[in-house]
């Protein structure tokens, strides 16, 4: 997979815009019971739970609304995988799933979402 470059940032932005995906950090934070934070271990546990909640919320929203940004998603996958659009259209679900697992691990990807979250606060 190619590096998550500025072209990929623009493509990801278009995908998020077309799908209407919003990570509602405010709702997630409201669900944290602050009285349970007694030590650093508690904070780490809750931090992990928040991270999992965000990933589950994002994955569910993405799967539900992928059809709204099909061409943009194919373009993003083609760009980062260096495949052409027709090849991307013929990828199996298992290959697409692996692509997104690799994308999440790609350098720069998490920075994109950190910036997106910060801009909504």
């Amino acid at each position: 997979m190619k590096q998550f470059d500025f072209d990929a940032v623009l493509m990801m932005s278009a995908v998020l815009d077309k799908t209407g995906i919003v990570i509602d950090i405010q709702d997630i934070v409201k669900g944290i019971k602050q009285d349970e934070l007694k030590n650093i271990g508690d904070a780490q546990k809750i931090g992990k739970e928040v991270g999992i909640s965000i990933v589950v919320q994002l994955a569910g929203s993405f799967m539900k609304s992928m059809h709204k940004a099909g061409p943009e998603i194919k373009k993003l996958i083609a760009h980062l995988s260096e495949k052409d659009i027709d090849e991307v259209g013929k990828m199996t679900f298992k290959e697409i799933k692996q692509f997104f697992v690799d994308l999440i691990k790609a350098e720069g990807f998490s920075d994109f979402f950190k910036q997106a979250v910060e801009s909504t606060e």
Side-chain angles (χ1 to χ4, degrees):
M1 176 177 296
K2 277 177 52 175
Q3 183 176 359
F4 195 73
D5 57 14
F6 187 62
D7 284 339
V9 168
L10 295 175
M11 290 177 214
M12 181 60 79
S13 177
V15 166
L16 294 175
D17 186 42
K18 285 247 177 153
T19 58
I21 294 174
V22 176
I23 302 170
D24 195 346
I25 299 297
Q26 305 295 345
D27 273 353
I28 293 170
V29 170
K30 286 177 190 172
I32 297 173
K33 296 178 180 142
Q34 294 180 9
D35 58 332
E36 292 180 8
L37 294 172
K38 294 183 175 50
N39 58 46
I40 191 73
D42 291 343
Q44 289 171 336
K45 181 180 174 196
I46 289 174
K48 186 175 181 179
E49 290 172 10
V50 167
I52 290 169
S53 293
I54 290 170
V55 169
V56 168
Q57 182 183 27
L58 185 60
S61 295
F62 187 73
M63 291 297 291
K64 185 173 125 186
S65 57
M66 282 177 75
H67 67 281
K68 296 177 184 176
E72 291 81 4
I73 293 169
K74 283 183 176 182
K75 186 176 176 183
L76 174 67
I77 294 170
H79 174 73
L80 290 173
S81 67
E82 299 181 295
K83 295 179 184 236
D84 63 43
I85 298 287
D86 291 333
E87 287 178 287
V88 171
K90 294 176 182 173
M91 289 173 71
T92 65
F93 181 73
K94 184 177 180 178
E95 291 171 318
I96 294 293
K97 179 181 167 190
Q98 188 59 52
F99 169 82
F100 283 106
V101 167
D102 293 342
L103 177 61
I104 290 167
K105 294 176 184 176
E107 184 177 338
F109 183 78
S110 63
D111 293 335
F112 172 81
F113 279 97
K114 285 178 189 172
Q115 186 63 40
V117 167
E118 288 171 7
S119 68
T120 63
E121 295 178 324

